Amino acid sequence: MDLNDTPEQAAFRQQVRSWLQEHKDQAPPSSGDSQDTAYIDSRRAWQRQLAEANLAGVTWPSEFGGGGKGPIEQVIVNQEIAAAGVPGILDVIGIGMLGPCLIAHGTQEQQSRHLGPMLHGDEVWCQLFSEPAAGSDLAAVQTRAKLNDDGSWSLTGQKVWTTNAQFSTFGLILARTDADVPKHKGMTMFIVPMEAEGVTIRGLRQITGEAEFNEVFFDDLNIPGDAVVGGVGNGWGTALTVLMFERLTIGLGSEGFGYRSDRFAKALSVDTAACADPEIRQRLANLSTELLAVRFTGYRTLTALAGGQIPGPESGLAKVTTVNAAIAAGELLADVLGPDALDESSEWFHMISFLPGLKSAGGTEAILRNTIGERVLGLPPEPRLDKGIPFSELRAKEKEAVA
C-alpha cells in the first residue's frame, strides 16, 4: 500500500492548507461551553465558511452541496484542520452520520429541504436512538409512533444520551410503529423537529462539568406523514446506515481526538523515574501498539471505501480498540503524573473524564464484540429468546424463561 499522496491529493492538500492559513484568524476556539449560545453561533458560522470552501461534507455528492471527493480527501482535510489548530465542523453527527442516511434513504423532498441547511450549520441535527431500557439493545426501543387517521403520526416516549439536543433543530428518531411483529421489523425512522411543542430536553451533566448529553421526552408530538425516512417498518435497516457511519467516525477518529502514542510518550518523558520503570514502558508499548494497529486498520478501511465499499461491522473493532487504549493511556498518565493529571487546568482532565462515556457511545463493547464475532468472524450467534417473537409478547416470554 502506498501511503504517500498522489499528485492530485498533494495538490488538494496544498489547496486546503492555503485556505486554512488564509482564514484561521477567523476561526473560533476549538472547544467551549456547549450551553453558550454565542460560542455555538461562532461554530455555526465557521462551519458555514468551511462548507462554502467545500471543506464540510467533503464526501457528500456534489449534487447535495458536498465536495464530491473520496474518503482519503476527507482524511486530508481532517489532518490539515488539526495541523492548523482550528476547529472542524460543529455538526459532526449530522454531516458525518445523519446526512449520509438522508442521502441513502431520504426522499427528494427531504434531501432538498434539509441537506443544505445541515451542511452550512444553519440547522444542527441530533441522533435519537438510545433509551433508558434499550441502550445496548437498540432493537428494543419502546418509543411509540401511532398512525393517525389523517396520515400524521403521534410520537410518545423517551430518549437518552442525545448529544447536542440542546441546540439541535431536527433529529432522526427510531420509534416503534408495530408491536405485533418481531422487534427488528416493527420500527420506523422519522425526522422530528426538536423545537416543537411536545418535546422536552433536559441536560445530563457529566463529570467534566459539561452537559452535551441530554434526555429527551416526547409527549404526543404530532409529526407529518412525510417525515418517515426509508419507509414504514424499515427503521432497522435505515438505522444500520447511521450506526455504520457512527462507528466508522469514532473508530477512525483516534488521532483527531488526540489519542496519539507520541503525545502520551512526550507527557511521560518529563518524569525520569517513569522513563526508567520497565512496567511503565511496557504499559506505554501496549497501548501504543493498539493505537498503531487502529491507524493501519484505518488505512485498510479507507482503501476499501475508496474502492466503493460501504462501512461494515468491522469498524466497531476500531472503536473498541481506540477507546480502551485511550482509557489505558489516561490511567497511565494519572499513575505517573498523580493528581495533577486530574486538575481542570491539565490537558488530560477532559480526556480522562470524558472517555468512560465514549466507552458506551456508538455501541457498548459487549454488543460490538458480539457483532464482530457473528458478522465478521462467522462465530455461532448467542442464543436469543426474542427471535421470531412479536415485540408485544417479549416480556411474557422473558418471565417464562426466568420462571
Side-chain angles (χ1 to χ4, degrees), residues 79 159 261 346 395:
Q79 290 174 338
K159 297 292 180 175
S261 55
S346 167
R395 290 196 174 181

Side-chain angles (χ1 to χ4, degrees), residues 145-155 177 188 190 221-228 232:
K146 179 183 177 182
L147 182 62
N148 301 319
D149 293 339
D150 62 0
S152 66
W153 298 81
S154 295
L155 186 69
T177 49
T188 302
F190 297 91
L221 174 67
N222 184 266
I223 50 179
D226 60 7
V228 172
V232 175

Side-chain angles (χ1 to χ4, degrees), residues 80-283:
E80 292 303 315
I81 284 176
V86 298
I89 57 175
L90 169 66
D91 192 7
V92 174
I93 292 172
I95 292 180
M97 301 172 233
L98 307 186
C101 182
L102 289 180
I103 290 172
H105 301 286
T107 65
Q108 184 175 350
E109 291 75 13
Q110 290 169 344
Q111 294 165 350
S112 299
R113 164 63 184 85
H114 294 294
L115 291 177
M118 178 193 294
L119 188 65
H120 289 81
D122 299 323
E123 296 173 348
V124 176
W125 285 57
C126 61
Q127 175 185 336
L128 298 150
F129 280 18
S130 293
E131 296 183 5
S136 296
D137 186 6
L138 182 58
V141 297
Q142 299 182 48
T143 295
R144 300 294 180 95
K146 179 183 177 182
L147 182 62
N148 301 319
D149 293 339
D150 62 0
S152 66
W153 298 81
S154 295
L155 186 69
T156 301
Q158 178 187 359
K159 297 292 180 175
V160 74
W161 315 127
T162 306
T163 303
N164 297 342
Q166 71 272 24
F167 54 81
S168 290
T169 310
F170 290 98
L172 274 186
I173 189 169
L174 189 62
R176 187 153 309 278
T177 49
D178 187 351
D180 295 325
V181 296
K183 63 182 183 180
H184 289 83
K185 297 182 179 180
M187 296 178 291
T188 302
M189 189 81 78
F190 297 91
I191 296 171
V192 293
M194 299 301 294
E195 299 170 347
E197 184 178 351
V199 180
T200 302
I201 301 170
R202 297 177 183 167
L204 295 170
R205 194 159 299 280
Q206 301 157 253
I207 195 172
T208 61
E210 299 173 313
E212 62 173 348
F213 292 144
N214 303 268
E215 54 183 351
V216 185
F217 300 86
F218 298 92
D219 184 14
D220 201 26
L221 174 67
N222 184 266
I223 50 179
D226 60 7
V228 172
V229 178
V232 175
N234 294 324
W236 183 248
T238 310
L240 286 180
T241 299
V242 176
L243 293 177
M244 291 302 102
F245 278 98
E246 177 183 45
R247 289 160 187 172
L248 182 71
T249 298
I250 297 176
L252 297 184
S254 59
E255 295 191 10
F257 292 139
Y259 308 151
R260 303 191 320 272
S261 55
D262 62 323
R263 180 177 173 227
F264 302 140
K266 182 178 179 180
L268 295 170
S269 67
V270 301
D271 190 311
T272 55
C275 292
D277 188 327
E279 181 183 350
I280 297 297
R281 294 201 303 269
Q282 185 63 55
R283 290 170 65 183

Side-chain angles (χ1 to χ4, degrees), residues 268-349:
L268 295 170
S269 67
V270 301
D271 190 311
T272 55
C275 292
D277 188 327
E279 181 183 350
I280 297 297
R281 294 201 303 269
Q282 185 63 55
R283 290 170 65 183
L284 177 61
N286 290 341
L287 69 92
S288 298
T289 301
E290 294 286 82
L291 291 174
L292 188 63
V294 170
R295 177 193 294 178
F296 282 95
T297 300
Y299 292 155
R300 292 171 57 194
T301 302
L302 287 172
T303 301
L305 293 174
Q309 296 184 29
I310 62 173
E314 62 275 2
S315 297
L317 185 57
K319 185 264 180 179
V320 169
T321 305
T322 294
V323 175
N324 283 337
I327 289 175
E331 292 173 346
L332 178 57
L333 287 161
D335 287 345
V336 171
L337 303 179
D340 288 346
L342 298 175
D343 188 277
E344 290 191 21
S345 62
S346 167
E347 67 172 302
W348 308 112
F349 166 75

